[in-house]
Amino acid sequence: MAVSFDSIPHDKLQACLRMRIADRNVLKLIRQWLEAAVVEPPEESGGSPRIRRQKQGTPQGGVISPLLANLYLHWFDKVFHRTSGPAHWARAKLVRYADDFVVLAQQQTPRLVGWIEEKLESWMGLEINREKTRIIKLKQQGASLDFLGFTFRYDRARPEWGRHRYLNVIPSKKALARERAKLREMTSAQQNGVPIPQLIGELNRHLRGWGNYFNFGYPRHAFHQINSYVPWRLWKHLRRRSQRPYRPPKGMTVYAHMKHLGLIAL
C-alpha cells in the first residue's frame, strides 16, 4: 500500500512537527519551505508564468519530504499498535518505509481494510494510491509481492529437499533492471577519461553496497547475473577506449583478466 502526500494538510503536519521540535526558528523555516511559491510555465506562449502557493502536500523531490513523511506517519504506527488497534484485535503486523507499507495478517477482513482506509484518509487527510495498493494472498499459486526491491513468493523446493514450498526472497526484476542501468552508466563512453584503477574502484564500492543490501534470502541467481554482466560491460568499455584492439593476456579468459585487474564478484 502506498499513500500520496499531495493532500496532507499543512496545519496537521505542522502540529506533528511542534510535538517534536521546540525551536521556533526551525518551525518557521519548515513552514516557509512548505508554503514556498511554485512557478509554473504560462498556459499560452508569451504569457506570464503562473505563481501559486501550496496549502497542502510536500514538495515532490524535496530533500526533507521523506523525513516529514516519517514524522507524520509515525502517528499511524502509534494507533496501529495501541491496544485498540489491529495489531491486537487482528494480530496484524505493519512494515513501513516512508510512505510505502505492508500490512501482514492471517485474514484481510473488511474490518481491517476499513480501519486502515479510515485512519489514513479521514483521520490523517491522506490519499491512498489505489494503483499501488492491493490485497495479496501470498500462498496462492503464482502470487508474489514486491517491496523495497525484493520479491517475496512461495516456490516449490527441489525434489531432493522434499515435497514442500518455501518462502523465496530474491531481488526483484525492477531492482535488477535498475542495477544494470546504473552499471551501464558507470561504464559508458562518458567515463573514458577516468583511469582504469579508479573506475574499477568505483565499480567495486557500488557492487559491495548493492550486494550487502540484497544479501538476504536467496540472491544467488541474481548475483550470478550481475557477476556475468559487469565484466562484459567493463570489457566493452576497455575495447572502446583503447586505440588498438584490446585483448586479454594470452592464456587468460576475459573474466580472469577482469579479476586480475581488481574487479570483485558478488
Side-chain angles (χ1 to χ4, degrees), residues 70-133:
N70 276 328
L71 285 171
Y72 194 63
L73 281 174
H74 167 75
W75 298 103
F76 178 74
D77 300 350
K78 295 279 285 185
V79 297
F80 189 95
H81 290 100
R82 67 186 181 186
T83 54
S84 60
H88 292 270
W89 51 260
R91 295 187 178 181
K93 296 185 182 296
L94 173 65
V95 183
R96 184 177 65 81
Y97 183 82
D99 57 348
D100 289 329
F101 63 90
V102 174
V103 176
L104 308 173
Q106 288 291 336
Q107 293 183 341
Q108 297 283 348
T109 62
R111 180 188 178 190
L112 176 58
V113 175
W115 187 94
I116 294 173
E117 292 179 348
E118 191 277 331
K119 289 300 179 185
L120 290 174
E121 296 184 327
S122 300
W123 184 56
M124 304 192 74
L126 298 174
E127 180 181 345
I128 297 176
N129 190 330
R130 305 289 176 180
E131 295 181 356
K132 295 184 179 180
T133 300

Side-chain angles (χ1 to χ4, degrees), residues 208-229:
R208 286 192 186 99
W210 193 86
N212 288 338
Y213 179 81
F214 286 104
N215 192 22
F216 175 79
Y218 305 92
R220 181 178 177 181
H221 181 65
F223 283 6
H224 178 73
Q225 293 183 51
I226 297 300
N227 287 339
S228 299
Y229 185 74

